[in-house]
Amino acid sequence: MSGSRPEYDQYSDAYKTLSTDPIRERFAPGSEFFHKRKWLLLAEYMERTGIRPQKSAWLDVGCGQGDLLRYGVDHFGELAGCDLSTGMLEACKGLKVTPQTEPTGLPFPDKSFDLITAVCVYHHVEAKDRPALTAEIGRVLRPGGTACIIEHNPFNPLTQFLVSRIPVDADAHLLTPGTAHRLMNKAGLTKSETLYFLYFPESLYQSAQKIESWLRRVPAGGQYAAFAKKH
Ligand SMILES: C[S@@+](CC[C@H](N)C(=O)[O-])C[C@H]1O[C@@H](n2cnc3c(N)ncnc32)[C@H](O)[C@@H]1O
């Protein structure tokens, strides 16, 4: 946080513009492709592991402007978002979202959700706050539930390059999948798997979908999703 204001309150008005970069635009114009890929990855994971969204409650921590949550509206029994930045939440019209008053506290009772995601949030969370935020995820997750941290992959040089250029990532400290799993493990969550994605630009994705799926265990994609379960 900068001063007492959540950092993202200063970006919220121009968030889409400030997340844009000419090289990123060549990979995929705008941000829809990136949200859609995450939704498809989550949907594939849920189907493969037997999670039934209609019977599940999903919380997206650091939901920002609600872009990923919107994909779940017609699929989940219940869905909610929370974020430190009230400025970002203003764009979440029609979604059930709650502002967080502190970076390490989630405004929900124990065992409220079956799926909790945090997408491109942790690289903005100070390292000292990450264990407490993850413990909160563990607290509000139901037994049998799934946590998923999606992050930029620091092993991918193009990702590193883009992060260094994008204004909203000025304070970013990327974390490896190993760090994400260690945080979840300390919060009582057991590693399920790590999937890597964003190998191909939008223009090639349709034809290269199969190859991208074969590469999902290779730690080289632009982003990764670290899944863990609460037993
Ligand atoms: C890069 S944006 C990602 C927003 C959204 N998850 C998405 O993928 O479009 C990062 C978001 O994380 C939020 N954030 C940062 N630290 C947070 C924390 N400790 N708890 C909850 N949200 C946080 C910011 O306010 C911002 O909305």
Side-chain angles (χ1 to χ4, degrees), residues 8 15 35 38 60-65 67 82-85 88 100 102-104 119-121 123-125 133 169:
Y8 263 73
Y15 176 57
H35 299 304
K38 287 170 189 127
D60 191 26
V61 174
C63 65
Q65 301 191 327
D67 298 296
C82 60
D83 201 291
L84 259 187
S85 163
M88 291 292 276
Q100 279 171 240
E102 40 176 335
T104 55
V119 178
C120 296
V121 175
H123 62 261
H124 295 292
V125 179
L133 178 64
D169 280 334

Side-chain angles (χ1 to χ4, degrees), residues 31-40 67-68 71:
S31 49
E32 210 42 59
F33 175 70
F34 298 98
H35 299 304
K36 189 170 179 186
R37 289 288 293 107
K38 287 170 189 127
W39 168 251
L40 293 175
D67 298 296
L68 182 61
Y71 278 98

Side-chain angles (χ1 to χ4, degrees), residues 28-161:
S31 49
E32 210 42 59
F33 175 70
F34 298 98
H35 299 304
K36 189 170 179 186
R37 289 288 293 107
K38 287 170 189 127
W39 168 251
L40 293 175
L41 181 131
L42 282 175
E44 186 277 329
Y45 178 87
M46 290 191 289
E47 191 176 340
R48 186 161 45 82
T49 59
I51 297 173
R52 290 192 294 162
Q54 311 88 323
K55 304 251 177 225
S56 305
W58 173 24
L59 170 66
D60 191 26
V61 174
C63 65
Q65 301 191 327
D67 298 296
L68 182 61
L69 270 181
R70 272 190 205 92
Y71 278 98
V73 167
D74 294 333
H75 300 274
F76 275 84
E78 215 184 294
L79 112 180
C82 60
D83 201 291
L84 259 187
S85 163
T86 49
M88 291 292 276
L89 292 181
E90 274 169 23
C92 292
K93 302 258 177 312
L95 295 170
K96 191 174 141 199
V97 293
T98 312
Q100 279 171 240
T101 52
E102 40 176 335
T104 55
L106 298 179
F108 303 98
D110 296 359
K111 302 177 187 165
S112 301
F113 298 96
D114 305 287
L115 172 69
I116 303 184
T117 50
V119 178
C120 296
V121 175
Y122 270 76
H123 62 261
H124 295 292
V125 179
E126 286 184 48
K128 71 172 177 47
D129 288 338
R130 289 173 181 171
L133 178 64
T134 320
E136 277 291 273
I137 290 176
R139 178 184 68 76
V140 300
L141 196 60
R142 289 182 182 139
T146 298
C148 172
I149 295 179
I150 297 185
E151 273 299 325
H152 298 317
N153 181 8
F155 300 132
N156 180 305
L158 180 61
T159 296
Q160 287 274 16
F161 177 65

